[in-house]
Amino acid sequence: MKISRNEVEHVADLARLELSGEEVDQFTGQLDAILSYIDKLNELDTADVEPTAHVIHVGNVIREDRVCDSIPLKETLSNAPETDEGFFKVPKII
Amino acid sequence: MTMKLHPLTLHQASEMLQKGEMTSEELCRAVLRRIEAVEPKIHSYVTVMEKDESAPDSGNAPSNDSLLAGIPLAVKDNIVTLGIRTTCASRILSNFVPPYDATVISRLKEKGAVLLGKTNLDEFAMGSSTETSAVGTTRNPWNLACIPGGSSGGSAAAVAADACIAALGSDTGGSIRQPAAHCGVVGLKPTYGRVSRFGLVAFASSLDQIGPLTKDVEDAALLLQVIAGYDPKDSTSLDVPVPDYRAALTGELSGKTVGVPKEYFVEGMQPEVEAAVREALAFLEKEGATIVEVSLPHTEYAVATYYILATAEASSNLARYDGVKYGYRAEGAEELIEMYRKTRAEGFGKEVKRRIMLGTYALSSGYYDAYYRKAQQVRTLIRQDFDRAFEKCDVLVTPTSPTTAFRIGEKVDDPLQMYLSDILTLAVNLAGIPGISIPCGFDDSGLPIGLQVLGKHFEEATILNVAYAYEQRTDWHKMRPAL
């Protein structure tokens, strides 16, 4: 097995996904099959190969630090599930 | 007036508008009537604008010289539109109304195009069939029991069914080209960095590109012309001059060398697909192109590489859906982490969760080098394969997909089989090169077959012209499904 049920539960926790027992079972089997397939990559010796993050090289992109128009507060908050006096409101943190 | 307007191509409609042979209002009405007639069968839209909303804004009349002025277009529902709900076909964004336009939308609006509606897709563009959409599967206009391809399946089906004049989609691993092939239309994925991604809801940021889905190659050139170009709001868009794509459509093939990658005629390929593509190659040769065999030796590693890199980037990009600033929030959670976990559990569908899981695993402590770094290294090898192949030829010609459209439900329980169906398109995104799919025939059951033409970075004009040369001498693109 490439991945265990416990590891699937750990990864779900990292990803902040609540999974049902049935989903954990299903993902364990499917991720195991996918990761076994991905093992193919180990057939290749890549010791001296540079990794590619972006195909076309772009250096750092810097812009002037200028004040521009931004989206007004009311519109910014208009999609929020819950707001209070101009702030996003969330359930208690601690 | 007795002439049907909805079947018009963009360039035909544009010409008629400019000559005053019809008005934009007549054209928009005709297309909206067509949508009403075919939508119950194909379900290609998530949102259709009301008649008065989609009418061109007369107070802000675009200049008459714009070829797009008054033309009704459809846009994939992962491209944000000011004031128009943008859902990504996901429950988690089901109520999201963007407060800004994507750069491609601003550019279309500047040219006077009319936004007809937002098209269906696999949830967050993750899929090859539109079956992962939270609002239901789009059906292939050529056979309603089949998938239209994906993830831009709604855009491809809408174009094929004349439910828009042309459309925009996005392509991360084939999501424009594969549905274009399955629906018998033209689909172009530009070079990475050619078109701004600002306002495209991010799936895999190093692979995503927006591009046109159209009724013919000339329309693809016209739409690309408007959306291409540097955008300071997308730091990965490139400041490279945009040529005149329509002027590049000469139809001239002599002097062109077409490479045929031997690895792209894969085992298990549908015989009719291979036959149609071989026939197209013979045709290109007869018309003056030189055909050479080339090799892309790392092709068999592309699927594995793609599914590590794309899911890793996706798991990071989709961390933003947390039920705080916008989108769906689960009810009943008493503290923050519980709210995140429930919101994401209820808001995302199965395929999105599966990819977040795979990507999170690949990036997690202890596995990063084995999976993510390894895949980035293999990406280098795949990119170098294309560089070497293009030393011997101007374009590569391949099938777009190893089969024609499969039946709805056929691959839904086997994610690996679904991923493998993208084998001929996704290396192109890993290499960042442009690709176009055009119709090149039909299989025995009447489903369209796609021909893929690939070019060097920023050589969209070259692939458009090779595609145009083929299209000018064939009639496949004129075929329309009986709906």
Side-chain angles (χ1 to χ4, degrees), chain B residues 206-221:
Chain B
S206 80
L207 304 164
D208 299 338
Q209 268 292 290
I210 295 171
L213 289 113
T214 56
K215 295 176 188 178
D216 67 15
V217 173
E218 188 172 348
D219 283 3

Side-chain angles (χ1 to χ4, degrees), chain B residues 72 119 219 352 360 440:
Chain B
T119 54
D219 283 3
V352 172
T360 305
C440 73

Side-chain angles (χ1 to χ4, degrees), chain B residues 238-284:
Chain B
L238 287 149
D239 198 359
V240 174
V242 179
D244 184 337
Y245 293 117
R246 198 187 202 183
L249 304 179
T250 62
E252 188 55 54
L253 281 172
S254 54
K256 288 276 176 258
T257 304
V258 172
V260 183
K262 58 182 182 200
E263 293 84 359
Y264 274 53
F265 292 85
V266 293
E267 213 178 302
M269 174 170 284
Q270 194 175 326
E272 297 130 293
V273 171
E274 174 155 2
V277 172
R278 298 273 184 210
E279 205 171 303
L281 284 165
F283 187 81
L284 293 174

Side-chain angles (χ1 to χ4, degrees), chain B residues 382-410:
Chain B
I382 289 168
R383 185 170 54 89
Q384 290 169 345
D385 281 356
F386 282 99
D387 290 346
R388 284 193 196 104
F390 282 124
E391 286 169 9
K392 298 187 188 116
C393 57
D394 301 299
V395 297
L396 296 169
V397 170
T398 79
T400 308
S401 175
T403 65
T404 54
F406 46 88
R407 296 183 86 77
I408 291 170
E410 192 179 317

Side-chain angles (χ1 to χ4, degrees), chain A residues 54-83:
Chain A
H54 268 266
V55 272
I56 298 168
H57 180 74
V58 207
N60 283 335
V61 178
I62 294 165
R63 62 166 171 79
E64 256 180 83
D65 189 14
R66 244 174 333 109
V67 177
C68 307
D69 289 341
S70 51
I71 297 168
L73 182 66
K74 190 168 158 262
E75 286 168 43
T76 304
L77 293 171
S78 64
N79 277 291
E82 210 180 344
T83 60

Side-chain angles (χ1 to χ4, degrees), chain B residues 207-392:
Chain B
L207 304 164
D208 299 338
Q209 268 292 290
I210 295 171
L213 289 113
T214 56
K215 295 176 188 178
D216 67 15
V217 173
E218 188 172 348
D219 283 3
L222 291 175
L223 259 189
L224 180 64
Q225 196 74 49
V226 173
I227 61 173
Y230 175 67
D231 176 15
K233 290 176 179 164
D234 173 5
S235 62
T236 61
S237 74
L238 287 149
D239 198 359
V240 174
V242 179
D244 184 337
Y245 293 117
R246 198 187 202 183
L249 304 179
T250 62
E252 188 55 54
L253 281 172
S254 54
K256 288 276 176 258
T257 304
V258 172
V260 183
K262 58 182 182 200
E263 293 84 359
Y264 274 53
F265 292 85
V266 293
E267 213 178 302
M269 174 170 284
Q270 194 175 326
E272 297 130 293
V273 171
E274 174 155 2
V277 172
R278 298 273 184 210
E279 205 171 303
L281 284 165
F283 187 81
L284 293 174
E285 188 168 30
K286 187 170 72 78
E287 296 295 326
T290 305
I291 310 287
V292 295
E293 187 181 86
V294 296
S295 176
L296 299 167
H298 296 93
T299 298
E300 63 171 304
Y301 302 101
V303 175
T305 304
Y306 178 86
Y307 277 95
I308 289 298
L309 297 179
T311 60
E313 292 184 23
S315 73
S316 171
N317 275 325
L318 270 62
R320 73 190 66 176
Y321 304 104
D322 57 4
V324 175
K325 294 182 286 299
Y326 48 84
Y328 174 80
R329 177 188 287 187
E331 284 179 15
E334 301 202 337
E335 54 88 34
L336 188 68
I337 304 283
E338 187 194 358
M339 188 278 281
Y340 292 157
R341 290 165 53 92
K342 283 188 189 302
T343 293
R344 292 163 63 80
E346 293 170 18
F348 291 133
K350 270 252 157 72
E351 180 61 23
V352 172
K353 287 181 192 172
R354 189 155 41 232
R355 295 201 193 191
I356 290 174
M357 292 289 291
L358 182 57
T360 305
Y361 177 77
L363 291 176
S364 67
S365 169
Y367 295 104
Y368 180 88
D369 282 346
Y371 289 107
Y372 188 68
R373 192 181 153 80
K374 181 81 186 180
Q376 283 190 315
Q377 289 171 314
V378 181
R379 183 176 187 181
T380 303
L381 299 175
I382 289 168
R383 185 170 54 89
Q384 290 169 345
D385 281 356
F386 282 99
D387 290 346
R388 284 193 196 104
F390 282 124
E391 286 169 9
K392 298 187 188 116

